Amino acid sequence: VRCQNQHGDSPVWCKKTQRLFWLDVKKREVWCLEPMENVAFGRRVAMGSSGGCLLVREQGGFAVCSSSGVGLLPDCELAESEDILDATIVCHPVKDMFDTECVWLGSGRVDSEGRILVGTRSLSDSKSDASTGGDDSDGEAPVTTGRGIFRVTYDPESGDHSHQFLSDLGKNCSASGIAFGDGGDFFFVDTRERRVRSFEYNDVVGEERECGTSRMHSGLVHGGCVDAEGGYWAAEYGSGRVVRVMNGVVDRVVRVTTPHVTGCTFGGAGLSVLYITTASGKDPDPSELSGGLFAARIPGVKGAQEHYYSG
């Protein structure tokens, strides 16, 4: 689809509606694809000035994590409109620990218990982000060390959305592309080390598992997802590739016709389609395909089932 997103990212498949949703984090828009009609449209959303990920809620609608905190959008059936969607902020995990002008919420995913795990991004990552167009910083602000993983939990009895700090993942880590495997593995892209990392996850973040090195990748590793076999699919910004990391090696490669690949997820019938988001910003040779949404079928590969936020 030629949607020409400035920075498409955070794609998520909604099984209930059989639609794909994603963000243009630069334009602050939620996008929707109706696969049967191959029609896509975007709608503005009040989601903060930096960062951003999109998650589907069990009750219908979305959770949006950004510099404004964790916000809820009530209507999963997006309609094309000029009106700006207003997210209701229910908690702000970084506010109590970090300077919110320097640290914000970035990549997130829902675990099997319906809770959000979301990573932080900071201005000390701006040197890396300046290459990927992933935030609005100009790289001149002071460095901050606020990084880590938070978990957001909904209590149906009280109606509260609470948060707790889970791990700093070594303090120097900046987590992107968070995803869960069916076997309890917790995957993400360490954007500072430019590699995929994996940890045991059973209510807490446990021991790290060997996953791969930066030498495996030809671009800046960005967002990703997990397939049913436990392979992690990583978008390589700058190389026009999505690669699967399996048992410490790259064993599958999908190429698209624009270099700035930002994220991916499985969707469609039987989760057999790999949807790939891209960015048009900073494209050295822009075309009508820059910032487009791509789709690929990989023989024998299907995605792992996504979970919905219980709130």
Side-chain angles (χ1 to χ4, degrees):
V1 177
R2 298 175 180 178
C3 46
Q4 295 185 321
N5 293 152
Q6 190 171 348
H7 188 99
D9 209 341
S10 193
V12 60
W13 176 257
C14 179
K15 184 179 179 180
K16 293 180 180 179
T17 62
Q18 292 292 293
R19 290 179 173 182
L20 182 78
F21 300 93
W22 71 100
L23 294 176
D24 186 329
V25 296
K26 281 289 191 177
K27 293 182 179 178
R28 300 164 201 160
E29 295 174 341
V30 178
W31 278 75
C32 172
L33 171 71
E34 171 53 68
M36 295 298 292
E37 300 178 7
N38 200 35
V39 173
F41 58 86
R43 187 167 174 183
R44 290 288 305 277
V45 58
M47 55 172 280
S49 60
S50 299
C53 71
L54 186 69
L55 305 159
V56 179
R57 298 168 59 201
E58 183 66 39
Q59 301 176 17
F62 304 97
V64 180
C65 302
S66 71
S67 59
S68 295
V70 178
L72 303 183
L73 296 174
D75 187 11
C76 199
E77 292 288 345
L78 283 179
E80 193 167 11
S81 172
E82 295 296 324
D83 295 337
I84 298 177
L85 293 168
D86 190 17
T88 301
I89 304 301
V90 294
C91 67
H92 203 322
V94 304
K95 184 177 290 186
D96 297 333
M97 295 185 66
F98 306 119
D99 179 355
T100 55
E101 294 297 317
C102 298
V103 182
W104 55 87
L105 301 178
S107 171
R109 217 80 173 211
V110 179
D111 69 12
S112 60
E113 299 298 318
R115 303 167 298 188
I116 298 172
L117 261 70
V118 59
T120 59
R121 303 283 287 160
S122 71
L123 289 181
S124 56
D125 302 321
S126 63
K127 185 176 181 179
S128 172
D129 286 340
S131 302
T132 64
D135 66 63
D136 294 324
S137 62
D138 58 11
E140 298 301 323
V143 169
T144 179
T145 58
R147 303 188 190 96
I149 299 290
F150 288 85
R151 183 165 60 210
V152 179
T153 304
Y154 174 68
D155 183 349
E157 294 187 3
S158 66
D160 292 336
H161 303 257
S162 61
H163 62 270
Q164 65 181 120
F165 184 73
L166 286 188
S167 174
D168 61 8
L169 299 174
K171 296 184 180 179
N172 292 320
C173 169
S174 182
S176 181
I178 292 175
F180 294 98
D182 291 337
D185 289 339
F186 164 58
F187 294 86
F188 65 92
V189 169
D190 190 331
T191 55
R192 292 182 66 83
E193 295 190 9
R194 302 186 181 185
R195 66 184 178 98
V196 178
R197 299 176 68 182
S198 174
F199 288 78
E200 296 176 359
Y201 179 75
N202 183 14
D203 202 49
V204 297
V205 177
E207 295 294 320
E208 184 166 9
R209 304 178 189 270
E210 185 65 30
C211 198
T213 69
S214 61
R215 294 190 298 272
M216 298 163 51
H217 303 285
S218 60
L220 300 176
V221 195
H222 211 262
C225 65
V226 176
D227 65 27
E229 297 176 347
Y232 184 88
W233 292 80
E236 293 183 347
Y237 188 98
S239 72
R241 307 194 316 172
V242 177
V243 301
R244 184 171 80 164
V245 178
M246 188 79 168
N247 298 322
V249 299
V250 170
D251 68 346
R252 300 277 188 125
V253 177
V254 175
R255 300 181 185 275
V256 298
T257 54
T258 188
H260 292 165
V261 182
T262 55
C264 59
T265 197
F266 284 93
L271 299 177
S272 60
V273 180
L274 181 66
Y275 290 103
I276 303 166
T277 54
T278 65
S280 60
K282 301 183 184 295
D283 192 329
D285 187 21
S287 72
E288 60 183 8
L289 298 179
S290 300
L293 177 74
F294 294 80
R297 293 183 184 272
I298 302 97
V301 177
K302 294 184 178 181
Q305 184 64 55
E306 292 276 2
H307 304 291
Y308 296 158
Y309 178 48
S310 61

